[in-house]
Amino acid sequence: MRKKIVAGNWKMNLNFEEGQKLTSEIVNMLKDENDKDVTVVLNPPFVHLYPVKKLIGSTPNLFLGAQNCSDKTSGAYTGEVSATILASFGASYVILGHSERREYFKESNEMLTAKTKQALENGLTPIFCCGEPLEIREAGTQEEYVKNQLTESLFGFSADEISKIVIAYEPIWAIGTGKTASSDQAQEMHAALRAHFASKYGAGIADGLSILYGGSCNPGNAKDIFSKADVDGGLIGGASLKSRDFVDIIKSF
Ligand code: PGA
């Protein structure tokens, strides 16, 4: 059985008090409302990690994640945070290769290999993002484009390492735009990506991979999207900033 996962990506939002309030609300709601054993991950900005971890405490199935990590191990890299530091603060997951990082911070497929390696070596589960821009979708070459992102960044890893990674398919044209991929579009891509991993690592490994959908997921569309055979959950941006919406998405399985 593949893990069902809903991860909230706060991006660069919420001050200290707002982050504490949101986390406390989610912790309280999940005590009664996560009856389907969904793995839930909160990915706040770095400075929230420690206080959010304290609030999470021993809440079942609720984990801490970061939004990025350095591709380096340690040293003179001002402003960077290593996977080692994240692990020492109790993070279990790290989002890597989000389209905003690829675009605004020029993260290449090659750099993302190094970040993934850092995460795995420190026992963090990478939530590895991929997805095509609008012009690629309009040209109809989205599958080749996304498969290529994954091949270039991840296909040097062993089967054992790949089985520790979570994939998030996020069509860039659907992120923060209110325009979601249809559940059929999501299923089509997720199935293609799973087949791509099967071609390299075998069906056993591919079947065990959790592949999340991200891009304007909300309580109104999550049920339909999560009902698809190859969709194992969601990476949620805007809707993860409201406790009720986020928990309703978690309950959409
Ligand atoms: P969104 O963001 O849900 O606000 O579209 C998703 C993401 O970027 O992870």
Side-chain angles (χ1 to χ4, degrees), residues 108-165:
S108 64
N109 289 334
E110 191 186 9
M111 177 187 272
L112 292 170
T113 303
K115 292 191 176 205
T116 304
K117 194 162 175 287
Q118 288 293 330
L120 291 172
E121 280 175 357
N122 286 283
L124 300 175
T125 300
I127 301 177
F128 191 92
C129 302
C130 54
E132 79 286 359
L134 185 60
E135 62 271 20
I136 296 291
R137 171 64 62 167
E138 284 174 348
T141 53
Q142 65 273 10
E143 277 185 23
E144 292 323 302
Y145 183 93
V146 179
K147 283 187 205 166
N148 186 55
Q149 287 180 320
L150 296 174
T151 305
E152 286 197 0
S153 291
L154 300 181
F155 275 24
F157 288 102
S158 69
D160 182 50
E161 288 166 323
I162 288 296
S163 68
K164 295 180 177 140
I165 296 175

Side-chain angles (χ1 to χ4, degrees), residues 9 11 98-100 170 174-178 214-217 235-239:
N9 176 8
K11 306 193 181 180
H98 191 282
S99 60
E100 289 150 16
E170 301 204 300
I175 296 177
T177 57
S216 298
C217 206
L235 179 54
I236 318 298

Side-chain angles (χ1 to χ4, degrees), residues 173-193:
W173 45 272
I175 296 177
T177 57
K179 199 170 157 188
T180 342
S182 70
S183 54
D184 287 337
Q185 284 173 323
Q187 168 57 24
E188 195 177 35
M189 180 64 86
H190 285 220
L193 299 184

Side-chain angles (χ1 to χ4, degrees), residues 22-152:
L22 176 64
T23 307
S24 306
E25 288 169 3
I26 291 169
V27 165
N28 282 329
M29 288 179 185
L30 289 182
K31 279 185 186 140
D32 306 321
E33 301 186 52
N34 188 8
D35 50 6
K36 296 200 183 105
D37 288 339
V38 178
T39 294
V40 181
V41 189
L42 302 181
N43 301 268
F46 289 136
V47 289
H48 285 271
L49 288 172
Y50 185 65
V52 166
K53 176 73 183 170
K54 289 209 126 180
L55 289 175
I56 289 175
S58 54
T59 310
N61 295 322
L62 182 59
F63 298 92
L64 183 69
Q67 298 173 17
N68 180 30
C69 73
S70 174
D71 58 329
K72 308 287 195 304
T73 306
S74 65
Y77 301 101
T78 302
E80 288 286 271
V81 177
S82 69
T84 319
I85 295 174
L86 294 177
S88 77
F89 277 83
S92 308
Y93 288 78
V94 59
I95 298 171
L96 294 177
H98 191 282
S99 60
E100 289 150 16
R101 302 261 356 142
R102 290 175 187 264
E103 184 182 350
Y104 306 138
F105 303 95
K106 305 286 170 261
E107 293 192 357
S108 64
N109 289 334
E110 191 186 9
M111 177 187 272
L112 292 170
T113 303
K115 292 191 176 205
T116 304
K117 194 162 175 287
Q118 288 293 330
L120 291 172
E121 280 175 357
N122 286 283
L124 300 175
T125 300
I127 301 177
F128 191 92
C129 302
C130 54
E132 79 286 359
L134 185 60
E135 62 271 20
I136 296 291
R137 171 64 62 167
E138 284 174 348
T141 53
Q142 65 273 10
E143 277 185 23
E144 292 323 302
Y145 183 93
V146 179
K147 283 187 205 166
N148 186 55
Q149 287 180 320
L150 296 174
T151 305
E152 286 197 0

